[in-house]
Amino acid sequence: MRAKKVAAAAAAVFTMSALAPAAHAAGQGWGNETPITSGPDAAKVIQTFDPNWRSQKVPLREGNSKFGRQHIAKGGSTGNKGNHELTSAAKALWVKAMENVKKGSFTHPFPGGTLSTYPYKTPGGYKRTMCVVDDANNFTFHGKNYGPRGIITAFWVDGHTGPSGCSKKG
C-alpha cells in the first residue's frame, strides 16, 4: 500500500508542463533572476552550465547530502553511484537535457524547479535517458542569499523515457 502511495505521489509531483519554453518564447525570464554567487561550504559554486534558452546560467553547488555535487557523488537518494555520474561526458548530457525543449521534456516537480530529460545511446548501443533536476529558487545559507540553488541531482535511467521514468529511479 505504501509503495502505491509513493508511486502516486511521485507521478503527481512530476506532472508535465510546457510552461518553460512558452515563458521563454514570450520573452520572460525563467525563475530566479538573483545573481549566482559562490559562498562557503554547501553554497560553493563548483561549475555553471549555460542552457541556450535560459536567461541565467544554472549552478552546480558543492551542496550536501540533499542536493548538488555531494548528493550526486553519494548516488543521490537511492545511493546508486553507478548512474549518478560527475564525469565531463555526463555533464555534457546534463546540458543537452536542460536544452531539450521538445514536448514533454520539462516538468515542474516543485515551484521554481525543473526536471529535464535527454534520451541518448551509449557507444555500446544501450538506450538511456539523462534526468536533471534543478532549482531556480533562492539558496540562503547562513543568512545570505547566494542566488539559485541550481542542480539538485542528475542521473541516467535505462531506456528512452520522459520525466515519469525519472521519477521512478531518482
Side-chain angles (χ1 to χ4, degrees):
M1 182 69 171
R2 176 159 164 64
K4 285 183 182 180
K5 285 182 179 179
V6 170
V13 165
F14 288 92
T15 56
M16 297 176 67
S17 169
L19 176 63
H24 178 66
Q28 300 169 3
W30 170 246
N32 188 349
E33 298 302 325
T34 304
I36 298 167
T37 55
S38 189
D41 304 320
K44 182 178 180 181
V45 174
I46 304 300
Q47 190 172 353
T48 59
F49 302 90
D50 195 9
N52 60 13
W53 67 272
R54 297 273 181 103
S55 59
Q56 187 176 43
K57 292 183 179 186
V58 178
L60 171 64
R61 295 186 183 277
E62 178 62 23
N64 55 36
S65 64
K66 306 246 184 247
F67 82 100
R69 191 203 63 79
Q70 285 189 28
H71 176 78
I72 297 167
K74 77 169 189 128
S77 59
T78 62
N80 185 349
K81 292 181 181 183
N83 71 343
H84 287 70
E85 298 180 41
L86 289 162
T87 63
S88 295
K91 289 176 181 179
L93 289 170
W94 297 0
V95 173
K96 287 182 178 185
M98 290 185 282
E99 290 179 340
N100 187 10
V101 294
K102 294 177 185 175
K103 183 178 178 186
S105 297
F106 289 87
T107 65
H108 299 273
F110 52 87
T114 304
L115 169 64
S116 305
T117 62
Y118 181 74
Y120 66 100
K121 282 187 180 180
T122 67
Y126 295 104
K127 291 181 179 180
R128 291 185 177 159
T129 299
M130 180 57 72
C131 308
V132 179
V133 180
D134 72 270
D135 184 351
N137 293 301
N138 284 337
F139 178 53
T140 302
F141 187 71
H142 296 307
K144 184 176 177 189
N145 180 1
Y146 290 97
R149 179 178 301 265
I151 294 175
I152 294 173
T153 192
F155 56 94
W156 56 262
V157 296
D158 288 326
H160 286 171
T161 182
S164 62
C166 295
S167 68
K168 296 174 187 170
K169 311 269 180 164

